[in-house]
């Protein structure tokens, strides 16, 4: 089973925190990988919040290929950073040659373009880079978006932490939102693209569970948006639905819950808004999810959400100390990173609610 | 000595032979009275014996005498169909029909130069079912938990009506909430099992009433919103004006039978019907219109349909219809308009190699008025048809539903026009298993007919037993208008059997949904299935397993 975690903090937080969050839960995962998305970046990336940051890993040839492509499209490299690696013998990690995080300036003709135009450019660029580096796994292009950094690798999370020197807290590499997951998927082949969290156009999602409506979701989503691809993991479907409802249809957030786990017909019939809820249920049955799942999402405005399957078949807990709120599959993770919090106030979300953590770290519980 | 008459029929030429045991028979005559086909009769036969006395055989003629016997009739018109009513009625079980493997029926049954006509179902290839080569093979084990069929809640409903894609719905955001700016096309969420299109005319009034009763009972007592399709032939005025109309799907076919009454009843209807189904064709006799033999056009049928007593043939085509575009514009628009766009309108065709083209055309539906595509496959039943149509035309349903679903997937339009499958669902007795597999392959629901007749007491099968629905002589009172025969049917018991079956069907669906971990119907969840036949796996695009 996966274990998932998320930290949202008022202060910049180093990834060491998420390693400490996940380590106590290692009996629940299988130590097969480490993947994180950092958003609202501080440290060395703080001066570049408005510029797109490309996160990828690959071999030397692919790095050159990517640089050439970016140059050809008019992007200018403004800042590049790679983690200070600490190779040691005996580490359980499937290494690639390069782990690059590169900040680019938009091509001149896009610099004053509207936001949606820029967003499309970034997505198209990432998809193009992915396509051109896919052969022989030359590189893995995870995200290309302002203020978002993605690092994924196969291996033991503790060893991955050691290799990338993530155990050592500093102020250079930090963010206010970090989402993390420590397991490679088992349903399909182990590929880095299959590791949560997944990111698309400002939306991040990770999940612990099994989406048994994966085929239904996938077959429907494939035709909705060019960015809905890969499907290396059944959990990508959660991201694409969130993105579709929010970014494409521009529906209020609460309807994410109504679409993925609609109310039973008999409950729905008692609601004042039954006409709308029934319309959504009948229009989007292929985005409904089944199976055990707890889903953590990050929205472009920095809010962090949690929703669960309709039978609440996976664990999750939310706790905070006023400065930091964390979501974790198991409470033992919270106890390590937030030992002084009031445990009485921990929240164990149920199957019919959505938790929304806003930028003031207030946790709202929306009842479906 | 008798003359050898080679060309005269004898019981051994017929599909069924009557075995009668004179030692057990008490000569009560019940079997003869029960046989609606007059395939047996009381007769008197001469008997004599020869005896010999003394040491050397010296044949002497004994007395001659006559004995009463039960004798099988050997004519085309009055042949035994194997219904077994004689055995059912015999107190001593002294008589029974036996299938005759030396039958020459196919050779001489066209006597008089007319094609063989019968009711029932296809009798060829019925044993080799695709359904039985598919297994629910993706079971929730350690990666995810199975659900509990007894304790968890399950949502088992299916749409009938035009479903709009999310980006076409008239929604706006007001105070952080979505609201509908105007009504959507009507969609009914109903049980994924429809009591299929059997007209009052094809069925006896009691049988039709029993199906109605079962539908009403399932809705009102067991909260299972099962709908029943009227078939082409209208319905009684009392029902049209009653609140139970909401459980009925009205069918309109090329003969428009019964619609005079329906239209006249409209001002007095208390409820809208559940839907309208335009019938283009049916699986049992594709390309052929409806047929009700004159023998069944009793006075009440004449009244309901507004016709004289004669063979009632619906044309194979809707008149004045030239293309599918016209059909959408004319038929769908007029039927939608009939109930002021409050009632969903679907269309039924026989399964055909061109079903995908039809579905593709329907999916374009620019007016948002196509509420469902009902595909009727090869093994559907019928009240009357030419045998050559029944046995040699049609298309299996399973791959056709799958093809249509995948055609919608390719366009991102799955779910917009609900797909319903029929034709052989429940043929081996377990409709839930067949329905579930069809749903995983992309159907929203299924329609059944034959199994309802069997639950009411029909003894026909897919191996030529009885199948005489066309004759008006149905021995079980189900497909006859002969009042004496109709009385054989216990309407309450017939309805109860259907109700019990559907309640069990519901439990059985849960028993299939629970192990794959689904609480909603797994429409299109083909990954839940595996095929034990490679060709089936390949055609349906599901995994092969052995």
């Amino acid at each position: 089973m996966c274990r998932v975690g998320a930290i949202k903090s008022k202060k910049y937080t180093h990834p060491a925190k998420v390693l400490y969050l996940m380590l106590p839960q290692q009996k629940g995962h299988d130590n097969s990988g480490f993947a994180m998305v950092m958003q609202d970046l501080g440290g060395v990336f703080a001066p570049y919040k408005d510029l797109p940051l490309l996160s990828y890993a690959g071999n030397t040839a692919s790095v050159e290929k990517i640089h050439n492509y970016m140059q050809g499209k008019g992007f200018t490299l403004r800042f590049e950073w790679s983690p200070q690696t600490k190779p040691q013998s005996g580490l359980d990690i499937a290494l690639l040659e390069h782990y690059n995080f590169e900040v680019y300036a938009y091509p001149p003709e896009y610099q004053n373009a509207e936001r949606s135009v820029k967003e499309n450019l970034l997505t198209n660029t990432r998809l193009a880079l992915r396509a051109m580096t896919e052969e022989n796994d030359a590189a893995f292009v995870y995200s290309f978006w302002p203020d978002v950094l993605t690092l994924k690798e196969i291996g033991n999370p503790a060893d991955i932490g050691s290799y990338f020197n993530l155990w050592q807290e500093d102020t250079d590499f930090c963010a206010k939102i970090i989402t993390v997951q420590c397991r490679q998927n088992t349903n399909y082949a182990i590929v880095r693209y299959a590791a949560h969290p997944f990111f698309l156009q400002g939306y991040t999602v990770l999940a612990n569970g099994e989406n048994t409506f994966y085929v239904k979701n996938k077959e429907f989503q494939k035709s909705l948006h060019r960015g809905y691809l890969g499907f290396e993991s059944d959990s990508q479907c959660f991201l694409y639905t969130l993105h579709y409802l929010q970014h494409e249809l521009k529906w209020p957030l609460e309807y994410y819950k109504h679409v993925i786990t609609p109310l039973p017909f008999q409950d729905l019939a008692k609601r004042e808004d039954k006409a709308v809820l029934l319309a959504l249920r009948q229009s989007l049955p292929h985005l409904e999810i089944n199976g055990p799942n707890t889903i953590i999402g990050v929205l472009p405005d920095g809010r962090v959400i949690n929703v669960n399957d309709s039978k609440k078949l996976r664990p999750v807990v939310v706790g905070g100390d006023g400065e930091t709120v964390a979501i974790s599959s198991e409470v033992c993770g919270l106890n390590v990173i937030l030992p002084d919090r009031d445990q009485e106030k921990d929240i164990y979300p149920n199957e019919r609610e959505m938790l929304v953590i806003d930028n003031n770290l207030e946790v709202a519980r929306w009842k479906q | 000595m008798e003359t050898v008459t080679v060309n005269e029929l004898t019981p051994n030429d017929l599909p069924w032979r009557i075995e009668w045991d004179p030692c057990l028979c008490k000569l009560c005559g019940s079997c003869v009275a029960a046989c609606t086909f007059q395939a047996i009769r009381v007769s008197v036969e001469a008997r004599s014996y020869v005896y010999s006395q003394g040491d050397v055989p010296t044949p002497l003629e004994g007395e001659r005498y006559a004995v009463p016997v039960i004798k099988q009739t050997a004519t085309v018109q009055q042949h035994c169909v194997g219904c077994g009513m004689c055995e059912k009625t015999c107190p001593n079980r002294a008589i029974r029909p036996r299938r005759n493997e030396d039958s020459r029926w196919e050779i001489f049954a066209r006597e008089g130069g007319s094609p063989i006509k019968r009711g029932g179902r296809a009798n060829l290839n019925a044993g080799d079912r695709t359904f039985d080569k598919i297994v629910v093979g993706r079971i929730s084990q350690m990666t995810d938990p199975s659900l509990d069929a007894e304790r968890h809640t399950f949502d088992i409903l299916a749409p009938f009506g035009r479903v709009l894609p999310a980006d076409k719905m008239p929604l706006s955001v007001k105070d952080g909430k979505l609201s509908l700016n105007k009504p959507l096309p009507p969609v009914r969420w109903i049980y994924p099992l429809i009591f299929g299109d059997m007209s009052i005319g094809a069925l006896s009034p009691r049988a039709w009433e029993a199906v109605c009763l079962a539908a009403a009972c399932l809705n009102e007592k067991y909260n299972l919103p099962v709908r029943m399709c009227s078939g082409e032939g209208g319905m009684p005025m009392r029902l049209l004006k009653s609140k139970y109309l909401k459980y009925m799907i009205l069918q309109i076919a090329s003969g428009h039978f019964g619609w005079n009454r329906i239209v006249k009843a409209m001002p007095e209807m208390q409820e809208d019907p559940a839907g309208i189904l335009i019938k283009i064709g049916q699986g049992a006799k594709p390309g052929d219109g409806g047929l009700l033999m004159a023998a069944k056009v009793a006075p009440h049928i004449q009244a309901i349909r507004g016709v004289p007593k004669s063979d009632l043939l619906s044309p194979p085509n809707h008149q004045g219809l030239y293309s599918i575009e016209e059909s959408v514009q004319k038929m769908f628009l007029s039927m939608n308009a009939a109930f002021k766009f409050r009632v969903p309108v679907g269309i039924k065709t026989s399964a055909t190699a061109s079903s995908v083209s039809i579905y593709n055309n329907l999916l374009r539906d620019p007016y948002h008025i196509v509420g469902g595509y009902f595909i009727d496959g090869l093994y559907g039943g019928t009240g009357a048809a030419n045998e050559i149509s029944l046995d040699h035309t049609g298309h299996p349903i399973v791959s056709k539903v799958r093809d249509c679903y995948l055609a919608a997937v390719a366009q991102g339009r799955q779910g917009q026009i609900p797909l319903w499958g029929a034709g052989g669902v429940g043929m081996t007795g377990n409709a839930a298993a067949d329905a579930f597999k069809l749903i995983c392959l992309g159907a929203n629901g299924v329609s059944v007919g034959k199994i309802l007749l069997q639950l009411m007491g029909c003894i026909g099968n897919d191996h030529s037993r009885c199948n005489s629905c066309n004759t008006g002589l149905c021995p079980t009172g189900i497909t006859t208008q002969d009042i004496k025969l109709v009385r054989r049917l216990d309407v309450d018991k017939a309805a109860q059997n259907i109700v019990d079956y559907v309640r069990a069907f519901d439990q059985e669906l849960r028993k299939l949904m629970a192990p794959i971990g689904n609480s909603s119907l797994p429409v299109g969840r083909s990954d839940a299935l595996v095929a034990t036949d490679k060709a089936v796996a390949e055609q349906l695009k599901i995994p092969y397993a052995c």
Side-chain angles (χ1 to χ4, degrees), chain B residues 404-421:
Chain B
C404 285
Y405 180 74
L406 290 178
V409 167
Q411 302 165 60
R413 289 178 171 177
Q414 59 267 53
Q416 292 183 17
I417 294 184
L419 264 177
W420 288 74

Side-chain angles (χ1 to χ4, degrees), chain B residues 25 40 59 78 97 158-159 179 210 249 290 317 387 405 423 428-429 447 465 510:
Chain B
C25 181
I40 47 176
Q78 295 170 335
S179 64
I249 295 167
N317 275 313
E387 186 175 70
Y405 180 74
T428 52
S447 191
R465 188 178 188 204
R510 288 159 201 255

Side-chain angles (χ1 to χ4, degrees), chain A residues 212 255 281-283 288 290, chain B residues 155 164 178 189 519-520 525:
Chain A
T212 55
Y255 295 100
R281 178 154 198 190
Q282 70 195 21
S283 182
E288 186 182 342
N290 258 216
Chain B
D155 253 359
L164 295 189
L178 285 173
W189 282 88
S519 53
S520 299
R525 213 202 133 180

